[in-house]
Amino acid sequence: MKSTDLQLNHTAAVILAAGKGKRIGSHLPKVIYPLAGRPMVSYVLDTLASIGLKDIFVVTGFRSEDVQASINRRAYFVYQPSPLGTGHAVSCALKEIPPDIDTIIVTNGDDSSFYTAQTFEKIIASHKSSISVISIVTADIDSPVGLGRIIRDENNKVVAIREEKEATESERSINEVNIGLYVFDVDWVRLSLSKIEPRPGQEIYLVDVIAMASAQQKKINDIRLGSTSEWRGVNTQDELKIANKQMVEKVKSQSNSGKVYIFDLDDTLLATDKLKE
């Protein structure tokens, strides 16, 4: 599918980028830790822009000014004043979404660097053709420790996402997981988030709208991620090193595109445009 085939005039993107990233180290917001010399969130911004999305909103919180400085004017910014969960972050963004937007794609800023334009095009097209209130992207992971499991009913329909700490032993054996990539009907998700019961600590979990949609017998569209290499969780310094290596290899593989990439001895991608100047 070509991006020109998609009708995106009424579609916006919301990138969740408000977290501290305690496990990776708190001296920087996690989304601006570098991959191949660039803030990791910059890659998903490029990809979303490449398919023609013009309304891109980045939800910031911890050290918001640093995230904004790293992104510059490539997106609109929404401030989440308190870390009250992913559902609350999306609610903050919905207050700023233009009234003509009827569909939003939601993704995390810290694990989406490797998504391709084709993946975004596929899930948006699938959502629109399915006439669903939610489309959720799932992946089969060999070691799903720490990830929310996809719960299906006897008809193989998605009915809930179970966070690992709340999952039963049998549910923890499930390898199909939530990767935090969704498409929503705007009116439905706005109303639904207003009805979600806060968890302990007053956090509102975005995943809770899945069970709500199921209870309402609303249509939930689910899509398996074509290649699990497109999703890369980055929560620790070790995972950051792995992601950096993967990004370096990806950028090097694009060297036949006519662009010139210059790497330092430590495999850091140098700012080629600045060098040209």
Side-chain angles (χ1 to χ4, degrees):
M1 174 180 291
K2 297 179 180 178
S3 58
T4 52
D5 296 332
L6 277 175
Q7 298 298 315
L8 297 175
N9 292 336
H10 304 291
T11 302
V14 176
I15 300 173
L16 305 182
K20 286 185 177 182
K22 294 179 181 179
R23 285 186 288 166
I24 200 170
S26 59
H27 71 284
L28 285 177
K30 183 164 63 168
V31 297
I32 64 173
Y33 272 85
L35 296 181
R38 292 177 52 194
M40 66 175 77
V41 70
S42 68
Y43 294 98
V44 69
L45 285 168
D46 285 350
T47 306
L48 289 169
S50 76
I51 68 172
L53 272 178
K54 295 180 174 60
D55 292 304
I56 302 175
F57 295 81
V58 177
V59 182
T60 64
F62 174 66
R63 292 179 59 171
S64 175
E65 65 283 357
D66 293 321
V67 178
Q68 292 189 40
S70 74
I71 294 172
N72 205 354
R73 298 181 179 180
R74 299 164 63 197
Y76 301 105
F77 295 101
V78 177
Y79 182 63
Q80 184 184 19
S82 300
L84 297 178
T86 50
H88 179 258
V90 172
S91 291
C92 291
L94 287 169
K95 294 176 182 178
E96 306 298 330
I97 296 288
D100 64 328
I101 297 296
D102 58 27
T103 304
I104 58 168
I105 181 168
V106 178
T107 190
N108 298 312
D110 61 348
D111 59 17
S112 54
S113 300
F114 297 95
Y115 290 146
T116 65
Q118 292 75 20
T119 289
F120 284 126
E121 290 170 347
K122 175 185 175 181
I123 64 175
I124 293 171
S126 176
H127 176 81
K128 290 179 179 293
S129 64
S130 70
I131 316 178
S132 304
V133 294
I134 301 172
S135 290
I136 177 172
V137 183
T138 73
D140 292 310
I141 304 295
D142 290 336
S143 300
V145 176
L147 300 173
R149 308 306 204 274
I150 301 298
I151 307 300
R152 294 178 178 270
D153 65 12
E154 62 277 6
N155 297 313
N156 203 38
K157 292 182 178 180
V158 175
V159 293
I161 297 171
R162 193 84 72 233
E163 297 299 332
E164 186 172 66
K165 61 185 178 182
E166 300 169 345
T168 64
E169 186 174 347
S170 62
E171 288 171 341
R172 290 194 190 100
S173 68
I174 296 171
N175 290 94
E176 186 184 13
V177 301
N178 172 38
I179 59 173
L181 179 54
Y182 316 86
V183 188
F184 293 107
D185 173 85
V186 166
D187 289 340
W188 183 85
V189 76
R190 179 183 284 116
L191 179 62
S192 298
L193 285 171
S194 71
K195 296 179 179 180
I196 292 292
E197 191 71 26
R199 301 290 190 96
Q202 296 304 302
E203 287 193 53
I204 298 173
Y205 287 14
L206 184 59
V207 296
D208 286 347
V209 299
I210 305 296
M212 179 176 285
S214 178
Q216 295 173 354
Q217 297 186 327
K218 298 290 187 180
K219 187 172 183 181
I220 301 172
N221 180 40
D222 61 278
I223 307 154
R224 296 284 180 105
L225 188 66
S227 171
T228 55
S229 65
E230 286 190 48
W231 178 81
R232 171 64 66 185
V234 182
N235 295 302
T236 66
Q237 285 292 328
D238 285 342
E239 290 175 343
L240 179 64
K241 290 177 182 177
I242 294 170
N244 182 69
K245 182 177 180 180
Q246 182 178 338
M247 184 59 72
V248 167
E249 293 305 314
K250 179 180 179 180
V251 173
K252 285 181 176 178
S253 72
Q254 297 170 344
S255 60
N256 59 0
S257 65
K259 296 182 180 180
V260 177
Y261 300 95
I262 302 175
F263 291 87
D264 206 344
L265 294 177
D266 63 353
D267 267 342
T268 297
L269 177 65
L270 299 180
T272 312
D273 291 339
K274 296 295 182 182
L275 291 174
K276 289 178 181 177
E277 292 175 9

